[in-house]
Amino acid sequence: MASTDHVTTDSAPTGGRSLDDRAGRLAVEDGRLLVSGDWVLAHHGALKDQVAAHRQAAGEPSADQAVDLSGLTGLDTAGARLLVALVGAEPMADVRQWAADLPRARQALLETVARVLREPLEPEPSPRATLTDGLVDVGERVGALWQQQRLLLGFIGLTLTTLFVNLLRPWRWRLTALVSHVHQTGLNAVPIVALLTFLVGAVVAFLGATVLRDFGATIFTVNLVAFAFLREFGVLLAAILLAGRTASAFTAQIGAMKANEEIDAIRALGLDPMELLVLPRLLAMMIVLPILTFIGMLSGILGGALVCIFMLDISATQFLTILQRDIPLNHFLVGMVKAPVFAFLIAVIGCLEGFKVTGSAQSVGEHTTSSVVQSIFMVILLDAVAALFFMEMGW
């Protein structure tokens, strides 16, 4: 259909006649339907009214209706569509037989429009998925994952290089941006981290008490809550919350700048986007996550303590005594050591996905989603590896 849109060159005004003089007309004479003038998009509204009035007076088009197209001076796809509605798709498909004097280009256009209207195009059935197609899809996904990890490792190397270079140049530190990101990513996240870890601490205490009650060992609920939050839950829940809350913000901010060509403008000014955009966010995350981890540990233990005090008849003094006597300091250190590593990964992934935005709003959304998924996956994977390592080391 697109190729037939060029059949409009003969509809231009010639010989001083105005466009209105060449407008298409429809008349009935001696039982014949006379079509004249330009049946083009410019006159579509008036022609549509004429066709509607004729069909209202004469009814549906008949196959034996005599039609005279000799007065047709201009035709495009819009006009052909009206003519097919006027005459009927079946007769118009045989236009070469009863309108042999019509130029071939117009005959072809009318036949094409009639054929499409008579036999609407149906979507091709999708091919059945085979085992080979599934293997190809798996291979493509594995290849894309490998390329993504290579890109992540390269970006980590570039980030570390820029960080070490700037550590030796205090005059290039961007303290204002650093403080702003610390406020946005840290202070604003304290309520949600504290509330979530408090509730999870209460749930862990409930579950532990339910299981340990059968063995007469409800007192060890204190140890369970302390171990869980000092080693795992405190840092893990804070990191997951920042992955969903902050990594997505980093990606959206940098992605929007990429889409608006602001990063190109930064490079044109002789500035380094890594130094200007990545390092403040990275350092802010590495400062904030250990603080949020500590707050999460305290809130989780507090939630467990309230359950022990009000549900298990364990006094606050007894709870604190067990914590001081039976919980070594190394459990706290294990949890705190993981916080900067998780923060580094979350910040790097969030910034990298922002730089990968191609320039559309859809791309910003896709990479924002990707940054959250990748950050949470990498945090949980690294936490599992760290748990196995510390267990084998006896720490």
Side-chain angles (χ1 to χ4, degrees):
M1 288 294 295
S3 62
T4 61
D5 291 343
H6 298 289
V7 190
T8 60
T9 56
D10 57 352
S11 61
T14 59
R17 297 172 62 189
S18 67
L19 189 64
D20 291 337
D21 294 337
R22 295 176 59 92
R25 293 181 176 83
L26 181 62
V28 179
E29 182 179 331
D30 298 332
R32 293 188 307 158
L33 194 58
L34 302 180
V35 176
S36 60
D38 289 346
W39 286 63
V40 294
L41 183 61
H43 311 303
H44 184 270
L47 292 173
K48 185 177 180 181
D49 293 340
Q50 294 184 51
V51 172
H54 174 77
R55 293 190 61 176
Q56 184 176 5
E60 294 296 323
S62 175
D64 57 356
Q65 171 72 60
V67 182
D68 185 0
L69 301 179
S70 59
L72 189 63
T73 56
L75 181 67
D76 64 4
T77 308
R81 172 67 179 84
L82 291 175
L83 287 177
V84 172
L86 176 67
V87 177
E90 292 291 343
M92 193 60 77
D94 300 327
V95 67
R96 294 179 187 270
Q97 300 179 7
W98 53 268
D101 296 337
L102 199 64
R104 290 187 176 274
R106 295 176 184 171
Q107 291 177 350
L109 176 59
L110 291 170
E111 288 177 348
T112 302
V113 174
R115 183 174 64 253
V116 170
L117 294 178
R118 184 177 57 180
E119 302 174 0
L121 297 178
E122 297 181 358
E124 296 182 0
S126 57
R128 291 185 177 180
T130 62
L131 178 61
T132 304
D133 296 334
L135 294 177
V136 170
D137 183 64
V138 171
E140 291 176 349
R141 291 178 181 272
V142 171
L145 178 62
W146 171 245
Q147 290 298 117
Q148 178 179 320
Q149 296 309 310
R150 288 185 57 188
L151 186 61
L152 178 60
L153 289 176
F155 191 76
I156 289 175
L158 180 60
T159 303
L160 291 175
T161 302
T162 308
L163 177 62
F164 291 145
V165 168
N166 279 269
L167 287 177
L168 305 178
R169 302 175 181 177
W171 60 90
R172 298 182 68 91
W173 296 354
R174 303 191 176 273
L175 296 179
T176 303
L178 176 62
V179 173
S180 174
H181 288 301
V182 167
H183 177 268
Q184 293 175 7
T185 61
L187 184 60
N188 293 341
V190 168
I192 185 64
V193 171
L195 177 61
L196 180 64
T197 50
F198 176 84
L199 296 176
V200 173
V203 171
V204 170
F206 270 121
L207 294 178
T210 302
V211 175
L212 295 173
R213 183 180 291 113
D214 296 336
F215 302 94
T218 53
I219 192 66
F220 289 104
T221 304
V222 179
N223 302 67
L224 174 64
V225 172
F227 285 152
F229 277 89
L230 292 179
R231 295 185 66 96
E232 299 295 336
F233 283 166
V235 62
L236 190 61
L237 291 175
I240 291 176
L241 279 174
L242 285 190
R245 182 182 182 275
T246 306
S248 59
F250 288 173
T251 303
Q253 292 166 1
I254 297 178
M257 296 179 68
K258 182 77 177 297
N260 295 330
E261 300 182 354
E262 296 178 34
I263 294 179
D264 295 334
I266 290 174
R267 292 194 177 100
L269 292 173
L271 301 175
D272 184 5
M274 296 293 297
E275 178 183 335
L276 191 67
L277 302 176
V278 177
L279 289 189
R281 289 173 168 82
L282 174 66
L283 295 176
M285 282 287 291
M286 296 184 69
I287 293 172
V288 160
L289 188 54
I291 297 174
L292 293 178
T293 297
F294 181 70
I295 294 174
M297 291 176 179
L298 294 181
S299 299
I301 293 175
L302 177 61
L306 292 180
V307 172
C308 292
I309 293 171
F310 293 106
M311 303 296 294
L312 305 179
D313 296 329
I314 299 175
S315 66
T317 303
Q318 188 177 10
F319 188 93
L320 293 175
T321 301
I322 295 173
L323 282 181
Q324 183 179 6
R325 182 191 64 200
D326 297 339
I327 309 301
L329 182 62
N330 68 294
H331 297 304
F332 170 76
L333 296 178
V334 165
M336 294 300 297
V337 163
K338 293 187 286 187
V341 181
F342 290 170
F344 181 86
L345 273 178
I346 293 170
V348 167
I349 292 174
C351 294
L352 173 60
E353 290 298 316
F355 281 110
K356 289 165 65 176
V357 171
T358 57
S360 64
Q362 180 180 359
S363 179
V364 174
E366 290 175 352
H367 287 288
T368 300
T369 303
S370 177
S371 70
V372 174
V373 173
Q374 287 186 58
S375 299
I376 295 176
F377 174 78
M378 293 299 295
V379 163
I380 295 177
L381 177 63
L382 192 59
D383 184 71
V385 173
L388 293 176
F389 173 76
F390 290 132
M391 184 179 64
E392 291 297 328
M393 296 297 295
W395 295 348

